[in-house]
Amino acid sequence: MGASERVAALRRARERQARIEAATSRTMKAHDSVQHAVETKRRAIERCDERVARAEALAAAETAELARICGSAEAAAEILGWSVRELRRVVKSDRERRTAAGPASRDSGN
C-alpha cells in the first residue's frame, strides 16, 4: 500500500468515524425525545384522570343533592331520565366517597 492509499484509507476511516459519531448523537437525541414524550404523556394522563375523577365526584354530589331536594330517588331519577337503580348507585358512591374523605369534604362541598 502506497502513501496515497494510506492517506485515502485514513481519510475514509475518519469520515466513517464522523458519520458514526453524528448518527450516534442523533440516535441518542431521538431516544431522549421518546423518553421525554413518554413522561409528558404519563403526566398528561395523570392530570386528565384527576380532572375526570373530580368531575365524576361533582356530578355524583350534585345527583345526591338533587335526590335530597326532590325527597326521593324516584323523583330525581325521573327528572334525569335514569333508572332508580342507577341513581341510587351514584348516590351511594357519593356517600362512600364523602365518608372515605372525612368531615372536611362535607364542609367544603356544596
Side-chain angles (χ1 to χ4, degrees):
M1 186 184 275
S4 65
E5 291 172 342
R6 284 193 300 268
V7 169
L10 184 57
R11 181 183 48 76
R12 285 191 305 272
R14 286 183 182 145
E15 288 171 354
R16 181 173 183 265
Q17 184 61 34
R19 288 192 311 270
I20 289 170
E21 289 173 4
T24 300
S25 176
R26 289 191 312 269
T27 301
M28 292 176 74
K29 286 179 184 177
H31 284 278
D32 286 346
S33 179
V34 168
Q35 288 300 97
H36 177 73
V38 166
E39 180 62 22
T40 299
K41 178 182 175 184
R42 185 195 61 76
R43 286 192 308 266
I45 289 170
E46 212 172 80
R47 286 190 305 272
C48 184
D49 288 348
E50 290 168 358
R51 284 192 303 267
V52 168
R54 285 192 305 269
E56 288 173 339
L58 177 61
E62 293 298 338
T63 302
E65 179 69 5
L66 176 63
R68 187 188 67 72
I69 291 169
C70 288
S72 74
E74 292 79 10
E78 187 175 334
I79 289 168
L80 295 173
W82 293 4
S83 69
V84 174
R85 182 178 185 174
E86 176 66 10
L87 187 120
R88 286 186 174 144
R89 185 194 62 77
V90 171
V91 170
K92 181 180 176 186
S93 73
D94 177 63
R95 188 178 319 116
E96 289 170 350
R97 183 190 58 78
R98 288 176 182 264
T99 301
S105 69
R106 285 187 289 279
D107 296 338
S108 65
N110 300 332

